[in-house]
Amino acid sequence: MGKIYFYFFVACIALGQFKLVTTTGFLVNRIPWRMTAVNGFSWANCDAETLPGKIKTLTILPDPLLIPGEMTVSTVLNTSVPLISPVTINVSAYKKIMGEWLKIPCLDNVGSCTYENFCDILDQLIQPGQDCPEPLHSYELPCHCPFKEGIYYLPVSSFEVPSMAIPSWFSSGDYRVTVVLSHGDQEIGCAKITFSLAGSYMHWE
């Protein structure tokens, strides 16, 4: 599968959609939070398109994206090299505070973190041997390493985004995230994502 799906999973992790297990075996500590909107989502290849992996197009609608709600995604990715385990993803996340971009530390696998083998994370999220989730299955797009070189196309597809819990320090504001994907010493691709969060706390019933 192409690099864009890694970016999508990492973005979901950054937003707290997945419940990750830390090295100590405990789930990430999160609090109930209803994000009312994700505003101004934008992306760019941050390598002057010199690396073998490139996002050609990526559209996420609506803007603002209301959560919970329906999200529509379409994308085209081109990668001229295969992605073979181990695949490393380095995430650098920043929040704008009083006009300055401050780096968010890596806390419980969320924030500015390095994921040493993202192929293993995919195997934990989607058990090998199981069908890939929709719409990947319908379009015969793989969801496990290794991923062949080539062009990967996801037509316009809709997803229901549920209410979610995120780390207590992940509050409303402006964010930018840089995602670098590599295999060994070879940097394969780099993407820069910016967005704003607006939300309110929820209470347990």
Side-chain angles (χ1 to χ4, degrees):
M1 183 175 61
K3 189 178 60 173
I4 182 58
Y5 298 111
F6 287 111
Y7 293 157
F8 178 76
F9 281 122
V10 168
C12 290
I13 288 171
L15 293 175
Q17 185 168 351
F18 296 131
K19 294 181 179 179
L20 296 181
V21 178
T22 68
T23 55
T24 59
F26 293 97
L27 287 175
V28 172
N29 181 30
R30 304 180 190 280
I31 61 172
W33 174 273
R34 182 185 297 276
M35 288 186 295
T36 58
V38 179
N39 300 284
F41 176 88
S42 65
W43 64 272
N45 293 301
C46 51
D47 56 2
E49 300 198 1
T50 59
L51 296 176
K54 301 176 181 66
I55 299 174
K56 305 301 290 186
T57 66
L58 171 60
T59 302
I60 297 179
L61 295 173
D63 186 6
L65 171 64
L66 301 181
I67 300 177
E70 185 175 82
M71 175 176 69
T72 300
V73 178
S74 63
T75 186
V76 177
L77 166 79
N78 179 44
T79 178
S80 60
V81 297
L83 301 183
I84 303 171
S85 182
V87 173
T88 298
I89 290 185
N90 184 273
V91 179
S92 299
Y94 295 82
K95 181 179 181 180
K96 195 172 187 179
I97 300 177
M98 299 182 66
E100 299 291 336
W101 287 101
L102 301 182
K103 191 170 186 178
I104 301 171
C106 183
L107 300 173
D108 287 330
N109 284 327
V110 181
S112 299
C113 302
T114 297
Y115 305 95
E116 295 293 345
N117 195 345
F118 203 68
C119 296
D120 289 346
I121 296 178
L122 288 178
D123 289 343
Q124 293 174 22
L125 294 173
I126 307 167
Q127 292 297 317
Q130 293 183 353
D131 288 339
C132 292
E134 295 295 344
L136 303 185
H137 179 68
S138 294
Y139 295 112
E140 299 182 351
L141 296 171
C143 54
H144 294 283
C145 298
F147 303 119
K148 298 178 180 179
E149 65 271 22
I151 297 175
Y152 292 84
Y153 172 50
L154 178 66
V156 175
S157 303
S158 296
F159 304 85
E160 282 296 325
V161 182
S163 299
M164 61 187 69
I166 65 172
S168 57
W169 44 264
F170 218 109
S171 58
S172 298
D174 297 328
Y175 292 86
R176 67 183 187 189
V177 180
T178 300
V179 182
V180 178
L181 180 123
S182 60
H183 172 71
D185 295 331
Q186 180 185 16
E187 190 170 304
I188 297 173
C190 176
K192 186 180 296 182
I193 301 167
T194 60
F195 57 92
S196 298
L197 298 184
S200 59
Y201 287 101
M202 295 170 54
H203 299 283
W204 293 111
E205 297 181 355

Coordinates of all heavy atoms in Angstrom, one line a residue, residues 3 7 44-56 77-83 88 90 149-150 178-192:
K3 N 2.1 5.3 0.6 CA 2.5 6.0 1.7 C 1.3 6.8 2.3 O 1.2 7.0 3.5 CB 3.5 7.0 1.3 CG 4.2 7.8 2.4 CD 5.3 8.7 1.9 CE 4.7 9.7 1.0 NZ 5.7 10.7 0.6
Y7 N 0.2 7.9 6.3 CA -0.2 9.2 6.8 C -1.5 9.2 7.5 O -1.7 9.9 8.5 CB -0.1 10.2 5.7 CG 1.3 10.4 5.1 CD1 1.4 10.9 3.8 CD2 2.4 10.2 5.8 CE1 2.7 11.1 3.3 CE2 3.7 10.4 5.3 CZ 3.8 10.8 4.0 OH 5.0 11.1 3.5
A44 N 1.0 19.1 2.3 CA 2.0 19.3 1.3 C 3.1 18.3 1.4 O 3.4 17.9 2.5 CB 2.6 20.7 1.4
N45 N 3.7 17.9 0.3 CA 4.9 17.2 0.3 C 6.0 18.2 0.8 O 6.2 19.2 0.2 CB 5.3 16.6 -1.0 CG 4.3 15.5 -1.5 OD1 4.1 14.5 -0.8 ND2 3.7 15.7 -2.6
C46 N 6.8 17.8 1.8 CA 7.7 18.8 2.4 C 9.2 18.5 1.9 O 10.1 18.9 2.5 CB 7.7 18.8 3.9 SG 7.8 17.1 4.7
D47 N 9.3 17.8 0.8 CA 10.7 17.4 0.3 C 11.0 17.9 -1.1 O 11.9 17.4 -1.7 CB 10.8 15.9 0.3 CG 9.7 15.2 -0.5 OD1 8.9 16.0 -1.1 OD2 9.7 14.0 -0.6
A48 N 10.2 18.9 -1.5 CA 10.3 19.5 -2.9 C 10.1 18.4 -3.9 O 10.5 18.4 -5.0 CB 11.6 20.1 -3.1
E49 N 9.4 17.3 -3.5 CA 9.0 16.2 -4.3 C 10.3 15.5 -4.9 O 10.3 15.0 -6.1 CB 8.0 16.6 -5.4 CG 6.7 17.1 -4.9 CD 5.6 17.1 -5.9 OE1 5.8 16.7 -7.0 OE2 4.5 17.6 -5.5
T50 N 11.3 15.4 -4.1 CA 12.5 14.8 -4.6 C 12.6 13.3 -4.1 O 13.4 12.6 -4.6 CB 13.8 15.5 -4.1 OG1 13.8 15.6 -2.7 CG2 13.8 16.9 -4.7
L51 N 11.8 12.9 -3.2 CA 11.8 11.6 -2.6 C 11.0 10.7 -3.4 O 10.1 11.1 -4.1 CB 11.4 11.6 -1.1 CG 12.3 12.4 -0.2 CD1 11.7 12.5 1.2 CD2 13.7 11.9 -0.2
P52 N 11.2 9.4 -3.3 CA 10.4 8.4 -4.1 C 9.0 8.3 -3.8 O 8.2 7.9 -4.7 CB 11.2 7.1 -3.9 CG 11.8 7.2 -2.6 CD 12.2 8.7 -2.5
G53 N 8.5 8.6 -2.6 CA 7.1 8.6 -2.3 C 6.5 9.9 -2.3 O 7.0 10.9 -1.7
K54 N 5.4 10.1 -3.0 CA 4.7 11.4 -3.1 C 3.2 11.3 -3.0 O 2.6 10.4 -3.5 CB 5.1 12.1 -4.4 CG 6.5 12.3 -4.7 CD 6.8 12.8 -6.1 CE 8.2 13.0 -6.4 NZ 8.9 11.6 -6.4
I55 N 2.6 12.2 -2.3 CA 1.2 12.4 -2.3 C 0.9 13.2 -3.6 O 1.3 14.4 -3.7 CB 0.6 13.1 -1.1 CG1 1.0 12.3 0.2 CG2 -0.9 13.3 -1.2 CD1 0.6 13.0 1.5
K56 N 0.1 12.7 -4.5 CA -0.3 13.5 -5.7 C -1.5 14.3 -5.4 O -1.5 15.5 -5.8 CB -0.5 12.5 -6.9 CG 0.7 11.6 -7.1 CD 2.0 12.3 -7.4 CE 1.9 13.0 -8.8 NZ 3.2 13.7 -9.1
L77 N -1.6 8.4 -4.7 CA -0.2 8.4 -4.2 C 0.6 7.7 -5.2 O 0.2 6.7 -5.9 CB -0.2 7.6 -2.9 CG 1.2 7.2 -2.5 CD1 2.0 8.4 -1.8 CD2 1.2 6.0 -1.5
N78 N 1.8 8.1 -5.4 CA 2.8 7.5 -6.2 C 4.1 7.2 -5.4 O 4.6 8.0 -4.7 CB 3.2 8.4 -7.4 CG 4.2 7.7 -8.3 OD1 4.1 6.5 -8.6 ND2 5.2 8.5 -8.7
T79 N 4.5 5.9 -5.4 CA 5.8 5.6 -4.8 C 6.6 4.7 -5.7 O 6.1 3.7 -6.3 CB 5.5 4.8 -3.5 OG1 6.8 4.4 -2.9 CG2 4.7 3.6 -3.6
S80 N 7.8 5.1 -6.0 CA 8.7 4.3 -6.9 C 9.5 3.3 -6.3 O 10.3 2.7 -7.0 CB 9.6 5.4 -7.7 OG 10.4 6.1 -6.8
V81 N 9.4 3.1 -5.0 CA 10.1 2.0 -4.3 C 9.1 1.3 -3.4 O 8.1 1.8 -3.0 CB 11.2 2.6 -3.4 CG1 12.3 3.3 -4.2 CG2 10.7 3.5 -2.3
P82 N 9.4 0.0 -3.2 CA 8.5 -0.8 -2.3 C 8.8 -0.4 -0.8 O 9.8 0.1 -0.5 CB 8.9 -2.2 -2.6 CG 10.3 -2.2 -3.0 CD 10.5 -0.9 -3.7
L83 N 7.7 -0.6 0.0 CA 7.9 -0.4 1.4 C 8.0 -1.8 2.1 O 7.0 -2.5 2.1 CB 6.7 0.4 2.0 CG 6.4 1.8 1.3 CD1 5.3 2.4 2.0 CD2 7.7 2.6 1.4
T88 N 10.0 2.9 9.4 CA 10.0 3.8 10.5 C 9.2 5.1 10.1 O 9.4 5.6 9.0 CB 11.4 4.2 10.9 OG1 12.1 3.0 11.3 CG2 11.5 5.2 12.0
N90 N 8.6 8.9 11.6 CA 8.9 9.9 12.6 C 7.9 11.1 12.5 O 7.7 11.7 11.4 CB 10.3 10.4 12.3 CG 10.8 11.4 13.4 OD1 10.5 12.6 13.3 ND2 11.5 11.0 14.4
E149 N 5.8 -1.0 -5.2 CA 5.9 0.4 -5.8 C 4.8 0.5 -6.8 O 4.3 -0.5 -7.4 CB 7.2 0.6 -6.5 CG 7.5 -0.3 -7.7 CD 8.2 -1.6 -7.2 OE1 8.1 -2.0 -6.1 OE2 8.9 -2.2 -8.1
G150 N 4.3 1.8 -7.1 CA 3.3 2.0 -8.0 C 2.4 3.2 -7.6 O 2.7 3.9 -6.7
T178 N 4.5 17.1 10.9 CA 5.4 16.6 9.8 C 5.6 15.1 10.0 O 6.0 14.7 11.1 CB 6.7 17.4 9.8 OG1 6.5 18.8 9.6 CG2 7.6 16.8 8.7
V179 N 5.4 14.4 9.0 CA 5.5 12.9 9.0 C 6.6 12.5 8.0 O 6.5 12.8 6.8 CB 4.2 12.2 8.7 CG1 4.3 10.7 8.8 CG2 3.1 12.7 9.6
V180 N 7.6 11.8 8.5 CA 8.7 11.3 7.7 C 8.7 9.8 7.7 O 8.8 9.2 8.8 CB 10.1 11.9 8.1 CG1 11.2 11.3 7.2 CG2 10.1 13.4 8.1
L181 N 8.7 9.2 6.5 CA 8.7 7.8 6.4 C 10.0 7.3 5.8 O 10.5 7.9 4.9 CB 7.5 7.4 5.5 CG 7.3 5.9 5.3 CD1 5.9 5.4 5.8 CD2 7.5 5.5 3.8
S182 N 10.6 6.3 6.4 CA 11.9 5.8 6.0 C 12.0 4.3 6.2 O 11.2 3.6 7.0 CB 13.0 6.5 6.7 OG 12.9 6.3 8.1
H183 N 12.9 3.7 5.5 CA 13.3 2.3 5.6 C 14.8 2.2 5.8 O 15.6 2.6 4.8 CB 12.8 1.5 4.4 CG 13.4 0.1 4.4 ND1 12.9 -0.9 5.3 CD2 14.3 -0.5 3.6 CE1 13.5 -2.0 5.1 NE2 14.4 -1.8 4.1
G184 N 15.3 1.8 6.9 CA 16.7 1.9 7.2 C 17.2 3.3 7.1 O 16.7 4.2 7.7
D185 N 18.3 3.5 6.3 CA 18.8 4.9 6.1 C 18.1 5.6 4.9 O 18.5 6.7 4.7 CB 20.3 4.8 5.9 CG 21.1 4.2 7.1 OD1 20.6 4.4 8.2 OD2 22.1 3.6 6.9
Q186 N 17.2 5.0 4.3 CA 16.6 5.6 3.1 C 15.3 6.3 3.5 O 14.4 5.7 4.0 CB 16.2 4.6 2.0 CG 15.6 5.2 0.8 CD 15.1 4.1 -0.2 OE1 15.0 2.9 0.1 NE2 14.9 4.6 -1.4
E187 N 15.3 7.6 3.3 CA 14.1 8.4 3.5 C 13.2 8.3 2.3 O 13.6 8.5 1.2 CB 14.4 9.9 3.8 CG 13.2 10.7 4.2 CD 13.6 12.1 4.7 OE1 14.5 12.2 5.6 OE2 13.1 13.1 4.1
I188 N 11.9 7.8 2.5 CA 11.1 7.5 1.4 C 10.1 8.7 1.1 O 9.9 9.0 -0.1 CB 10.3 6.2 1.7 CG1 11.2 5.1 1.8 CG2 9.2 6.0 0.6 CD1 10.5 3.8 2.3
G189 N 9.6 9.3 2.1 CA 8.7 10.4 1.8 C 8.5 11.3 3.0 O 8.9 11.0 4.1
C190 N 8.0 12.5 2.8 CA 7.7 13.4 3.9 C 6.5 14.2 3.5 O 6.3 14.7 2.4 CB 8.9 14.4 4.0 SG 8.7 15.7 5.2
A191 N 5.6 14.4 4.5 CA 4.4 15.1 4.3 C 4.2 16.1 5.5 O 4.5 15.8 6.6 CB 3.1 14.2 4.2
K192 N 3.6 17.3 5.2 CA 3.4 18.3 6.2 C 1.8 18.5 6.3 O 1.2 18.8 5.2 CB 4.1 19.6 5.9 CG 4.0 20.6 7.0 CD 4.8 21.9 6.6 CE 6.3 21.6 6.5 NZ 7.0 22.8 6.2

